[in-house]
């Protein structure tokens, strides 16, 4: 990952088309390395989650070009590489496993490196089912979080007040207030440079699989046509 980190840091200091075109071969080499890493990660994760078997890096990775149409930041290129391992590919609508290597120059997205499980963009219908499941589950949702040692939920994705249909005294209201359910952690650059990175990330993903299964159960329910 050292080559990728060096490229991303250089790109962050020269985020313009002229520099990028002059270093296109460097980008292509880094892209190939990250895709190789992603294929290896898919293979490892498939051993405990068969729903992602058969995926390839192309099903899970993203373009480096930013969509700047609705952004105040007009920088043309992302300064990170990310992969989203999810059944059916990254556009399937299911939640999955996300790995992200940034520049490591900050503790927040997108500069920070990231390991995450879940999704930040949830359909309101999925949220409604999840909140009902959490309220009526007798603590089973909380149990999935406790099993995912080293992870945390993003409190920036949390409502200040109880959502419509719930009261402040509702069971597990602190969890019900989340607008999205995504567990994450931010590994250090030292972690990213470890020769055991693939295995280490797979182990961390496995810890959060019960949480992911819980979230995807709500999506499965809706995909089966239970929309009432």
């Amino acid at each position: 990952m050292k080559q990728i980190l060096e490229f991303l840091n250089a790109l962050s200091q020269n985020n313009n088309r002229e520099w990028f075109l002059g270093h296109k071969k460097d980008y292509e080499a880094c892209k190939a390395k990250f895709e190789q890493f992603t294929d290896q990660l898919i293979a490892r994760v498939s051993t405990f989650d068969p729903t992602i078997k058969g995926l390839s890096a192309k099903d899970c990775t993203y373009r480096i070009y930013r969509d700047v149409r609705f952004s105040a930041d007009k920088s043309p290129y992302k300064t990170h590489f990310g992969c989203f391992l999810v059944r059916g590919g990254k556009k399937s609508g299911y939640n999955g496993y996300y790995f992200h290597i940034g520049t490591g120059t900050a503790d927040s997205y997108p500069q920070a490196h990231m390991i995450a499980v879940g999704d930040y963009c949830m359909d309101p219908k999925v949220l409604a089912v999840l909140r009902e499941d959490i309220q009526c589950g007798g603590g089973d949702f909380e149990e999935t979080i406790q099993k995912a040692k080293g992870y945390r939920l993003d409190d920036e994705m949390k409502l200040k007040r109880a959502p419509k249909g719930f009261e402040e005294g509702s069971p597990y209201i602190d969890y019900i207030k989340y607008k999205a359910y995504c567990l994450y952690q931010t590994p250090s650059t030292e972690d990213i440079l470890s020769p055991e990175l693939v295995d280490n990330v797979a182990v961390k993903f496995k810890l959060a699989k019960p949480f992911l299964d819980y979230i995807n159960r709500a999506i499965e329910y809706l995909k089966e046509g239970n929309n009432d």
Side-chain angles (χ1 to χ4, degrees):
M1 289 293 176
K2 183 179 179 181
Q3 181 181 1
I4 295 175
L5 274 172
E6 289 175 347
F7 173 78
L8 291 176
N9 277 289
L11 176 60
S12 70
Q13 300 298 318
N14 302 276
N15 202 328
N16 60 76
R17 187 172 182 272
E18 182 179 4
W19 185 92
F20 186 82
L21 291 178
H23 294 79
K24 191 68 175 291
K25 288 184 178 180
D26 296 332
Y27 163 68
E28 294 292 347
C30 290
K31 179 173 179 285
K33 283 184 177 293
F34 192 77
E35 288 179 348
Q36 182 183 35
F37 167 86
T38 301
D39 282 330
Q40 292 172 348
L41 188 58
I42 291 168
R44 301 292 199 284
V45 177
S46 294
T47 63
F48 61 82
D49 189 342
T51 67
I52 67 164
K53 283 185 177 179
L55 293 177
S56 68
K58 291 183 179 180
D59 300 313
C60 305
T61 52
Y62 300 89
R63 288 161 49 90
I64 198 168
Y65 307 98
R66 295 183 65 248
D67 183 350
V68 300
R69 290 174 298 171
F70 308 107
S71 174
D73 179 4
K74 299 303 180 181
S75 302
Y77 307 106
K78 300 172 186 174
T79 54
H80 60 274
F81 282 94
C83 60
F84 189 42
L85 280 57
V86 54
R87 68 171 84 176
K90 58 182 180 286
K91 296 182 179 180
S92 68
Y94 285 102
N95 284 198
Y97 310 94
Y98 182 71
F99 174 78
H100 167 118
I101 176 173
T103 60
T105 56
D107 293 328
S108 59
Y109 180 91
Q111 291 89 355
H113 313 306
M114 182 179 290
I115 295 171
V117 177
D119 199 350
Y120 273 98
C121 300
M122 285 193 165
D123 187 298
K125 292 180 179 179
V126 174
L127 273 177
V129 173
L130 278 171
R131 285 168 172 163
E132 184 177 345
D133 285 350
I134 292 168
Q135 183 181 49
C136 301
D140 54 352
F141 177 74
E142 186 173 44
E143 185 178 340
T144 69
I145 294 176
Q146 291 172 346
K147 289 178 179 178
K149 297 184 183 301
Y151 284 92
R152 58 190 181 275
L153 287 166
D154 187 351
D155 286 343
E156 291 187 6
M157 299 298 293
K158 190 175 183 179
L159 299 169
K160 293 182 179 179
R161 299 179 180 179
K164 184 178 180 180
F166 297 90
E167 301 294 335
E168 283 296 336
S170 298
Y172 310 105
I173 191 62
D174 283 344
Y175 292 126
I176 290 169
K177 287 181 179 180
Y178 282 93
K179 299 180 288 183
Y181 294 93
C182 186
L183 291 176
Y184 79 101
Q185 53 184 279
T186 51
S188 67
T189 295
E190 182 179 359
D191 294 330
I192 295 297
L193 294 175
S194 169
E196 307 298 326
L197 180 63
V198 174
D199 290 329
N200 292 342
V201 173
V203 167
K204 291 181 184 298
F205 281 163
K206 188 175 182 179
L207 283 173
K209 185 178 182 295
F211 171 86
L212 182 63
D213 290 343
Y214 193 106
I215 302 298
N216 277 335
R217 184 179 69 188
I219 299 172
E220 289 168 356
Y221 176 80
L222 290 169
K223 284 182 175 288
E224 288 170 359
N226 301 293
N227 294 304
D228 295 334

